[in-house]
């Protein structure tokens, strides 16, 4: 069974750093396209970052608002996806979802339950 | 960035009625358009990908159409569990973007 479990969210002050984790089971993160999508409270969805599989070169992409501050990565031995977030701002407050595309082309068809990040002093 | 516009913002219907949701892209996204359903407190659920293909396990009452810049999600006969927010999303150009959503609520 495919499962994605995010962790690492919490309350952090502006300017701080935090790392989110997404533990995967039922498939290999190294062989699949993985993403982070966020949703600010009461708002819509925003695609934050993606990483291609090793087979496709492992390229990474970031939305402009997080470029230079966030880093997506994976640990194949732990089958886990990460999002390192630095220089956090109030506008980064959101539920962060980890997601992957397994059987729907390049479209996200499996999602975790999300982890809440609150950036506030 | 490709901007997606969804209409209407809110659709008030009764169970058994047909729902027609629209998504318009600021430039062509070919058929690289998906539809998601989201209920409060839950992660999004993929319904349709590549404009017309139903995702695994999605009931046949959900269908997608369109290409280029204009897309439609149709729910042929609303079930009680279909009242939710629906988002379209393009993967033609990075950054991949979502529309603002259409809320389907009970009339």
């Amino acid at each position: 069974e495919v499962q994605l479990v995010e962790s690492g969210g919490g309350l952090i002050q502006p300017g701080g750093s935090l790392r989110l984790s997404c533990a995967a089971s039922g498939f290999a993160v190294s062989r699949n396209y993985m993403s982070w999508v966020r949703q600010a409270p009461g708002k819509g969805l925003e695609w934050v970052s993606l990483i291609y599989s090793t087979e496709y070169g492992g390229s990474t992409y970031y939305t402009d608002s997080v470029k230079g501050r966030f880093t997506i990565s994976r640990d194949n031995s732990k089958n886990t996806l990460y999002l390192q977030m630095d220089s956090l701002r109030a506008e980064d407050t959101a539920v962060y979802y980890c997601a992957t595309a397994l059987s729907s082309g390049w479209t996200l068809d499996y999602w975790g339950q999300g982890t809440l990040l609150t950036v506030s002093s | 960035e490709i901007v997606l516009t969804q209409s209407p913002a809110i659709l008030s219907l009764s169970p058994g009625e047909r729902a027609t949701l629209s998504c318009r892209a600021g430039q062509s996204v070919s058929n690289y358009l998906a539809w998601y359903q989201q209920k409060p407190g839950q992660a999004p659920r993929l319904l349709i990908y590549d404009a017309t293909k139903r995702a695994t396990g999605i009931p046949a009452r959900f269908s997608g159409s369109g290409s280029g810049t204009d897309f439609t999600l149709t729910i042929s006969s609303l079930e009680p569990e279909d009242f939710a927010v629906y988002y379209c999303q393009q993967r033609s150009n990075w950054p991949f973007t979502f529309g603002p959503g259409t809320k389907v609520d009970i009339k």
Side-chain angles (χ1 to χ4, degrees), chain A residues 1 25 28:
Chain A
E1 182 195 1
S25 56

Side-chain angles (χ1 to χ4, degrees), chain B residues 61 66 79:
Chain B
R61 64 181 182 273
E79 296 288 339

Side-chain angles (χ1 to χ4, degrees), chain A residues 1-99:
Chain A
E1 182 195 1
V2 172
Q3 206 168 11
L4 295 165
V5 179
E6 301 96 334
S7 61
L11 175 62
I12 187 113
Q13 292 191 340
S17 296
L18 204 63
R19 188 179 76 165
L20 303 182
S21 300
C22 171
S25 56
F27 72 101
V29 296
S30 63
R31 294 201 212 116
N32 291 279
Y33 162 101
M34 303 292 300
S35 286
W36 289 97
V37 175
R38 68 184 178 184
Q39 186 169 35
K43 302 296 184 184
L45 299 164
E46 180 184 25
W47 201 312
V48 174
S49 181
L50 71 88
I51 183 168
Y52 280 92
S53 66
T54 307
E55 177 188 5
Y56 283 87
S59 300
T60 59
Y61 291 82
Y62 302 92
T63 194
D64 282 349
S65 61
V66 309
K67 210 173 288 184
R69 301 189 298 122
F70 289 13
T71 304
I72 190 171
S73 64
R74 58 177 171 236
D75 184 330
N76 297 339
S77 66
K78 294 182 178 178
N79 210 32
T80 298
L81 179 74
Y82 300 103
L83 186 67
Q84 175 67 41
M85 304 181 294
D86 299 320
S87 303
L88 283 163
R89 305 167 180 167
E91 54 265 34
D92 296 319
T93 294
V95 173
Y96 284 74
Y97 295 102
C98 161

Side-chain angles (χ1 to χ4, degrees), chain B residues 50-107:
Chain B
D50 293 349
T52 62
K53 299 173 183 175
R54 263 193 306 278
T56 303
I58 300 304
R61 64 181 182 273
F62 292 93
S63 63
S65 63
S67 66
T69 60
D70 290 295
F71 300 87
T72 300
L73 173 70
T74 301
I75 310 172
S76 59
S77 177
L78 282 164
E79 296 288 339
E81 61 268 28
D82 299 337
F83 292 92
V85 179
Y86 293 83
Y87 295 96
C88 58
Q89 175 254 314
Q90 66 82 20
R91 64 172 184 87
S92 174
N93 282 41
W94 183 260
F96 300 157
T97 48
F98 291 88
T102 289
K103 182 177 183 180
V104 178
D105 68 10
I106 299 177
K107 188 174 182 180

